[in-house]
Amino acid sequence: MEETIDLREYFFILKKKMWLIVLAAVICGVISGLVSFYVLKPVYEANTTLIVNKEVDDKETQMTTTDDLNYVQKLALTYGEIIKSRTVITSTINKLNLDMTYEELSGLVSVTNVADTQIIKISVQNKNPQIASKICNTIPEIFSTEVQRIVKASGTEVIDKATIPANPIKPNKKMNVLIAMVLGVMVSVFIIFLREALNTKIKEPKDIEEKLGIPVFGVVPKF
């Protein structure tokens, strides 16, 4: 019964301070919206896919065995590391005359291997959609030349060339505002309960019995 009463008290506390919770949520949402729309610059992502080939002595021979597929998949993993190598990234910077260092561009390039396939996906993020697309299409060109020199193996072919992205991938403005409002509610509720827990003032007659252990025989009403 005591637990039910406590929960009811918490409900009345929140109901009494609801204006503060709503205000905190609105303020946090507005601040997040202003930052997302006017401060954070949009980031675009361009994508391209490559397929790893395996050389065969007989042109009519097709790659059908499991060993061949496993070999190509492992080769794709190796190629993924070469794509982000200093040689390929630096050559891309020089060819496009980018004002970037190797570390800066390497941080914008993501290389993933599609599971159980010989396909490599290259993603490039940039605040300029045209530059993101150019980088994404230039990397495979340079990589195809370098991989022949480095591993003396068959190269790759581009499946889908990168196009200029129309919409940015971040910031997610709506999600940022929603998260900020939820955080505003959580913080305000925490502060309300913390202040209530630290408040030692006697507000009701039953507080005298609970906190002081003194029975209450009567209450003088206010006029």
Side-chain angles (χ1 to χ4, degrees):
M1 183 65 180
E2 182 179 353
E3 182 179 357
T4 303
I5 294 175
D6 289 341
L7 291 176
R8 187 180 301 172
E9 289 178 353
Y10 291 147
F11 172 77
F12 285 129
I13 291 172
L14 292 177
K15 185 177 180 181
K16 183 179 179 181
K17 299 292 184 179
M18 185 58 66
W19 66 272
L20 181 60
I21 297 174
V22 174
L23 180 62
V26 171
I27 291 176
C28 291
V30 170
I31 294 175
S32 176
L34 292 175
V35 172
S36 298
F37 280 89
Y38 300 105
V39 178
L40 298 178
K41 293 184 178 180
V43 176
Y44 298 84
E45 182 178 84
N47 299 283
T48 186
T49 52
L50 311 176
I51 186 168
V52 178
N53 297 319
K54 178 180 179 297
E55 286 185 348
V56 292
D57 295 332
D58 186 355
K59 293 183 179 180
E60 296 180 357
T61 303
Q62 300 296 325
M63 185 184 66
T64 56
T65 67
T66 302
D67 290 339
D68 288 337
L69 183 59
N70 290 336
Y71 168 77
V72 175
Q73 288 176 357
K74 290 181 180 180
L75 195 61
L77 294 174
T78 303
Y79 284 1
E81 295 300 319
I82 297 176
I83 289 173
K84 293 198 68 174
S85 66
R86 185 175 293 273
T87 300
V88 174
I89 297 299
T90 302
S91 298
T92 302
I93 293 174
N94 294 334
K95 183 173 182 178
L96 297 178
N97 295 319
L98 301 175
D99 186 19
M100 293 183 184
T101 63
Y102 161 76
E103 289 76 14
E104 291 173 340
L105 181 54
S106 179
L108 301 177
V109 178
S110 175
V111 181
T112 55
N113 295 86
V114 180
D116 300 325
T117 70
Q118 59 211 69
I119 296 175
I120 302 174
K121 179 181 178 182
I122 302 175
S123 301
V124 178
Q125 295 184 3
N126 196 277
K127 295 177 181 178
N128 187 314
Q130 287 83 7
I131 292 179
S133 177
K134 287 182 179 179
I135 295 174
C136 202
N137 285 323
T138 302
I139 288 178
E141 295 176 3
I142 296 175
F143 164 73
S144 296
T145 302
E146 292 297 328
V147 75
Q148 298 284 345
R149 178 183 64 84
I150 295 172
V151 299
K152 299 293 190 289
S154 60
T156 58
E157 293 183 11
V158 176
I159 301 176
D160 296 315
K161 285 190 175 183
T163 58
I164 299 175
N167 299 311
I169 60 168
K170 57 183 179 181
N172 190 332
K173 300 172 183 178
K174 293 182 179 179
M175 183 61 67
N176 288 349
V177 172
L178 181 61
I179 292 175
M181 294 181 69
V182 172
L183 289 177
V185 171
M186 294 175 63
V187 172
S188 61
V189 170
F190 173 76
I191 293 175
I192 290 172
F193 283 144
L194 181 62
R195 290 188 60 184
E196 190 67 23
L198 297 177
N199 188 359
T200 58
K201 293 182 180 180
I202 296 176
K203 294 174 284 187
E204 298 182 7
K206 65 177 182 178
D207 294 339
I208 299 176
E209 297 180 350
E210 294 177 356
K211 298 179 180 180
L212 303 179
I214 301 175
V216 178
F217 296 103
V219 177
V220 178
K222 292 182 180 180
F223 293 98

